[in-house]
């Protein structure tokens, strides 16, 4: 099913961390549980077909099979926590997600992209920081 960031994070200004709670505490940002969606959508009356789909997944107690957009190769070590706590905004790496109807990848996520910022911000560029 499709999720609209522009409606949620843009028009209604729901904070990124309200849904991606783990980004501050763990390596992964994670996608929100259906409980989080239903906290609002149990009461928001709408005949939008995508909300119908959400409620059908909920009724079947089946998790929504979101399609993953960003991926790094398995030999790369990355952690949201360190970056979020260094006050790097989500948008620095993910672009203006609050204006995206469908979230898409804007940064290359290649090694040069990581290393350039590490140089600028005086973070480590030791190979073993990012590679196992
Ligand atoms: C109401 C909940 C909600 C809010 C608020 C929200 N997101 Fe999301 N986000 C989701 C869901 C659900 C997905 C998985 C579906 C998808 O990829 O669109 C997702 C996916 C993403 C992805 C893609 C993950 C991947 O698959 O690689 C990024 C990046 C992202 N969100 C960033 C943000 C940022 C930045 C903000 C704030 C500007 C934000 N989100 C606000 C629910 C939310
Ligand atoms: C903090 C409250 C809140 C949360 C949490 C929330 N939503 Fe929404 N959602 C809204 C509001 C408000 C609207 C706009 C309703 C309208 O305009 O009628 C909306 C609209 C939608 C729509 C229809 C709009 C569109 O164009 O796609 C879908 C589908 C939807 N939400 C799915 C989800 C899913 C899936 C989650 C969990 C990942 C979620 N929502 C979490 C408040 C929320
Ligand atoms: C320093 C760059 C950077 C920042 C800052 C950043 N991200 Fe990410 N994000 C990434 C990379 C790289 C990936 C791919 C990670 C992987 O494949 O292991 C990713 C993946 C994700 C995903 C996919 C699921 C997951 O957990 O891997 C979501 C959702 C996401 N980011 C949301 C956010 C949100 C919300 C914020 C702000 C609170 C944020 N990101 C801040 C670089 C960043
Ligand atoms: C926009 C800037 C920026 C980008 C892009 C970025 N980083 Fe970072 N990264 C930082 C900063 C700043 C720190 C230091 C945070 C701190 O002091 O805790 C850091 C820290 C780290 C750490 C922890 C270092 C340690 O000492 O444990 C890892 C691992 C890491 N980054 C991996 C990556 C990878 C992999 C990528 C690319 C996929 C990436 N980073 C992209 C700015 C960035
Ligand atoms: C700040 C994080 C970071 C640092 C530091 C880093 N790398 Fe990487 N490296 C990455 C990322 C992300 C990728 C995967 C994306 C890509 O291939 O560009 C990667 C990919 C690679 C690859 C595979 C390239 C390919 O084409 O498959 C090699 C080999 C590599 N790195 C070696 C190194 C060596 C040697 C060092 C130290 C001099 C180093 N890396 C330092 C993040 C980093």
């Amino acid at each position: 099913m499709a999720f609209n960031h522009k409606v949620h994070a843009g028009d209604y200004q729901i904070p990124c961390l309200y849904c991606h709670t783990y980004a501050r505490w763990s390596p992964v940002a994670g996608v929100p549980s259906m409980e989080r969606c239903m906290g609002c959508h149990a009461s928001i009356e709408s005949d939008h077909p995508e909300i119908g789909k959400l409620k059908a997944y909920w009724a079947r107690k089946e998790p929504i099979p979101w399609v993953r957009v960003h991926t790094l190769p398995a030999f790369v070590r990355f952690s949201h926590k360190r970056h979020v706590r260094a006050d790097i905004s989500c948008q620095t790496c993910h672009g203006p997600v609050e204006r995206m109807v469908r979230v898409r990848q804007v940064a290359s996520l290649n090694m040069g992209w990581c290393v350039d910022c590490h140089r600028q911000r005086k973070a480590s560029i030791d190979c073993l920081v990012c590679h196992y």
Side-chain angles (χ1 to χ4, degrees):
M1 76 172 265
F3 180 78
N4 187 330
H5 274 81
K6 184 179 169 295
V7 166
H8 292 89
D11 303 347
Y12 286 91
Q13 297 186 12
I14 304 170
C16 311
L17 286 169
Y18 181 83
C19 286
H20 300 289
T21 322
Y22 299 121
R24 257 192 92 72
W25 314 108
S26 80
V28 295
V31 291
S33 66
M34 248 195 290
E35 279 82 0
R36 177 105 329 174
C37 313
M38 291 309 289
C40 289
H41 285 289
S43 59
I44 293 172
E45 285 306 323
S46 168
D47 49 15
H48 196 288
E50 291 292 324
I51 293 182
K53 281 195 213 166
L54 167 67
K55 291 187 173 173
Y57 276 112
W58 176 250
R60 294 198 299 271
K61 303 213 179 312
E62 206 182 294
I64 302 172
W66 299 116
V67 178
R68 192 161 169 118
V69 179
H70 300 75
T71 40
L72 287 171
F75 57 82
V76 177
R77 190 202 310 265
F78 177 81
S79 172
H80 274 88
K81 183 171 88 175
R82 291 298 290 268
H83 295 93
V84 174
R85 290 191 174 182
D87 277 334
I88 301 170
S89 73
C90 311
Q91 286 82 353
T92 305
C93 298
H94 292 297
V97 173
E98 67 283 358
R99 296 208 296 270
M100 297 178 192
V101 174
R102 298 287 168 260
V103 68
R104 60 182 190 280
Q105 184 175 323
V106 297
S108 67
L109 307 191
N110 64 24
M111 180 160 126
W113 177 72
C114 312
V115 170
D116 281 351
C117 181
H118 276 216
R119 280 217 177 83
Q120 277 169 30
R121 302 274 311 238
K122 301 193 168 35
S124 174
I125 52 166
D126 184 345
C127 313
L128 288 177
V129 163
C130 299
H131 294 293
Y132 293 99

